[in-house]
Amino acid sequence: MSARHAHSPALDRRGFLRLASAVGVTAALAACGGPATTSGSAPATAPADIDYTGVKPASQITWWSNNPGSSQAVSQQIIDAFHASQPDIKVNLVTAGKDYEEIAQKFQTAQTGGTLPDLVVLSDVWWFRYYMLGSIIPLDSLIKTVGIETGDYRDQLLADYQYNGGQWAIPWARSTPLFYYNKAHWAAAGLPDRAPTTWAEFAEWAPRLQSAGTGVQHAFQHPALAGYAGWSFQNNLWGWGGAWSNDWDITCDSQQSVAALQFLQDSVYKNGWAGVASTDSANDLSAGAVSATVSSTGSLVGILTASKFEVGAGPLPGGPVASTPVCPTGGAGVGIPKAIPKENQLAAATFVKFLTSPENTVSFAGATGYMPVRKSADVSSLVAKTPQSKVAIDQLAVTRVQDRARVFFPGADQEMGKSCANILTQQADVQTEMNALKKTLSGIYDQDVKPNL
């Protein structure tokens, strides 16, 4: 059957439109932002198996991607290699958006009567709503049918897409935030060649960087808030003993969470050593306008290519309460729509097995900076070429599952970004903002999450 197929949905339309309204386009998501979801308080009944006995893979499938980390070229190279090894299945790579939000919106629109892909990139803040809507299938049956060795995937990354006894996506373009810094600025300030161990330590370093005569605007640049605040600021919240949420309970207004965000606001206004990126803090670092920033591992290759100085990379700093684990995973996986023929689902899974093979995950990581997702992947050549990549691989062992409020609540990431923008660009009162955010997030949970669990 053709890979291009229209879909007349069997979803409850009112429920879909209500959920869709909660995720309207309000702010562009960054090309990374981390997932992490494990089966918790939801029913423990595993999804029903899908029988692929006697099904022949479709001869042609379409893969929707936003090409995270400028990955279109390496993705096409992997597709070409797949064609050479399995000529019976043709994969068409379609750029379905410039970022995770655009591709998700297109996929969402297709549910109501458009043309669905056979494979789609699903980021951390989008896949769960499609689980709730019944738009994607559990992959467990396909994993068995095509022989995907789940035990060889890095446990944290695979677990990010597990819920209610099912595996809903396979990890692919996966990342963590890293602390990037300009080694020349570090040397000029007389600092040790490493990332700070804690944010308190960096607060001590920052004035030395500001006065080192490097011409920087700020010692540190906070990431663009629309795409990164909900993701990367979890590092600060956890380091102070706070969080956006604890399981389903919203805790953004807690004393610890407010203290963490107050530190961030003080870095901009009271102490003046930090700025806020308008678009991409990685570009600000590469241009030499700032001495350090936090950005995704998916930005690693781009930062190294654009910078005319030696770039240092280190793990995220800890806080006064916790120094580990204070780093979230991030990035995207690939999932398969429900309302496509079994032949296409089987062909898509066959390609996913090849796409995420140990060899291809190293090739993808080398071209982008994302992390190899397989345990057996030989990363020696990758680390030899780009030593900074080892930081992300090592940091993976101490990552933490993301707060459910960010990855499970439709539209919550945008709301977090708005609140953080008020705090860091308007000097709004932190407690007042977090009280308001809690009310907003509670509304999202009550209306769009709880009824669908």
Side-chain angles (χ1 to χ4, degrees):
M1 298 184 70
S2 169
R4 307 294 291 168
H5 30 257
H7 165 46
S8 298
L11 297 174
D12 177 275
R13 184 170 177 81
R14 287 186 301 170
F16 177 84
L17 292 178
R18 181 167 55 80
L19 187 58
S21 68
V23 297
V25 181
T26 54
L29 294 179
C32 325
T37 54
T38 54
S39 52
S41 57
T45 305
D49 287 338
I50 304 173
D51 187 6
Y52 291 93
T53 304
V55 176
K56 181 181 179 181
S59 61
Q60 187 172 176
I61 59 171
T62 298
W63 175 23
W64 280 8
S65 177
N66 61 304
N67 307 312
S70 301
S71 58
Q72 183 173 358
V74 67
S75 294
Q76 189 60 55
Q77 290 171 10
I78 293 172
I79 289 171
D80 293 342
F82 176 74
H83 291 162
S85 67
Q86 303 191 54
D88 292 339
I89 302 175
K90 180 182 179 182
V91 179
N92 298 305
L93 177 62
V94 173
T95 301
K98 73 178 188 299
D99 53 35
Y100 291 146
E101 183 172 27
E102 283 195 0
I103 193 172
Q105 290 291 343
K106 185 173 182 179
F107 183 59
Q108 187 162 283
T109 300
Q111 304 300 321
T112 60
T115 299
L116 285 168
D118 304 294
L119 186 68
V120 61
V121 170
L122 297 172
S123 84
D124 54 337
V125 298
W126 290 96
W127 79 264
F128 191 71
R129 70 198 70 194
Y130 296 125
Y131 158 79
M132 291 192 291
L133 290 168
S135 302
I136 55 177
I137 60 169
L139 301 179
D140 305 81
S141 296
L142 284 170
I143 287 170
K144 296 176 184 176
T145 301
V146 304
I148 293 176
E149 300 176 12
T150 54
D152 189 46
Y153 289 78
R154 295 182 179 272
D155 297 337
Q156 301 95 320
L157 305 184
L158 195 70
D160 284 343
Y161 308 107
Q162 294 170 354
Y163 189 79
N164 197 20
Q167 184 74 45
W168 300 92
I170 296 294
W172 170 59
R174 300 307 311 275
S175 61
T176 64
L178 290 180
F179 187 95
Y180 293 98
Y181 62 97
N182 185 320
K183 288 197 172 192
H185 292 183
W186 249 236
L191 299 176
D193 185 12
R194 62 173 175 83
T197 304
T198 64
W199 284 107
E201 182 177 49
F202 186 72
E204 296 175 357
W205 290 0
R208 294 167 63 179
L209 287 164
Q210 296 274 86
S211 59
T214 60
V216 296
Q217 297 172 358
H218 301 287
F220 184 83
Q221 191 82 317
H222 292 296
L225 303 177
Y228 270 87
W231 182 42
S232 65
F233 286 174
Q234 287 172 117
N235 160 243
N236 304 91
L237 293 171
W238 298 343
W240 266 256
W244 294 122
S245 64
N246 179 12
D247 288 332
W248 298 114
D249 296 328
I250 300 163
T251 58
C252 63
D253 64 333
S254 70
Q255 179 181 351
Q256 296 87 343
S257 298
V258 169
L261 295 172
Q262 186 64 59
F263 173 85
L264 296 177
Q265 186 184 71
D266 288 347
S267 72
V268 175
Y269 292 98
K270 181 180 178 181
N271 300 317
W273 49 260
V276 180
S278 57
T279 53
D280 189 345
S281 65
N283 292 340
D284 299 335
L285 175 69
S286 296
V290 298
S291 296
T293 192
V294 166
S295 191
S296 168
T297 56
S299 302
L300 175 59
V301 172
I303 290 174
L304 295 178
T305 301
S307 300
K308 296 180 179 179
F309 53 85
E310 190 174 359
V311 178
L316 295 190
V321 174
S323 58
T324 185
V326 292
C327 178
T329 55
V334 285
I336 296 176
K338 182 178 182 179
I340 62 173
K342 285 186 177 180
E343 293 85 349
N344 297 77
Q345 293 174 348
L346 184 57
T350 302
F351 173 63
V352 169
K353 179 181 178 181
F354 186 87
L355 174 68
T356 59
S357 71
E359 298 78 14
N360 284 330
T361 195
V362 171
S363 297
F364 187 80
T368 60
Y370 286 98
M371 294 183 297
V373 300
R374 299 290 291 269
K375 296 175 183 176
S376 64
D378 183 357
V379 300
S380 57
S381 61
L382 177 65
V383 173
K385 179 182 178 182
T386 312
Q388 295 91 337
S389 64
K390 189 174 187 300
V391 176
I393 296 171
D394 291 345
Q395 187 175 229
L396 183 59
V398 290
T399 53
R400 174 173 162 176
V401 170
Q402 285 198 70
D403 297 335
R404 285 186 172 180
R406 179 180 186 254
V407 293
F408 280 5
F409 291 21
D413 196 46
Q414 293 96 322
E415 296 299 334
M416 292 168 181
K418 291 177 187 176
S419 295
C420 290
N422 290 339
I423 291 169
L424 294 183
T425 66
Q426 304 297 322
Q427 206 172 358
D429 180 73
V430 179
Q431 186 70 65
T432 301
E433 281 295 320
M434 288 302 99
N435 292 345
L437 178 62
K438 180 175 183 176
K439 183 178 180 180
T440 299
L441 297 181
S442 297
I444 293 174
Y445 175 76
D446 290 340
Q447 180 176 351
D448 297 307
V449 178
K450 187 177 181 180
N452 293 291
L453 295 178

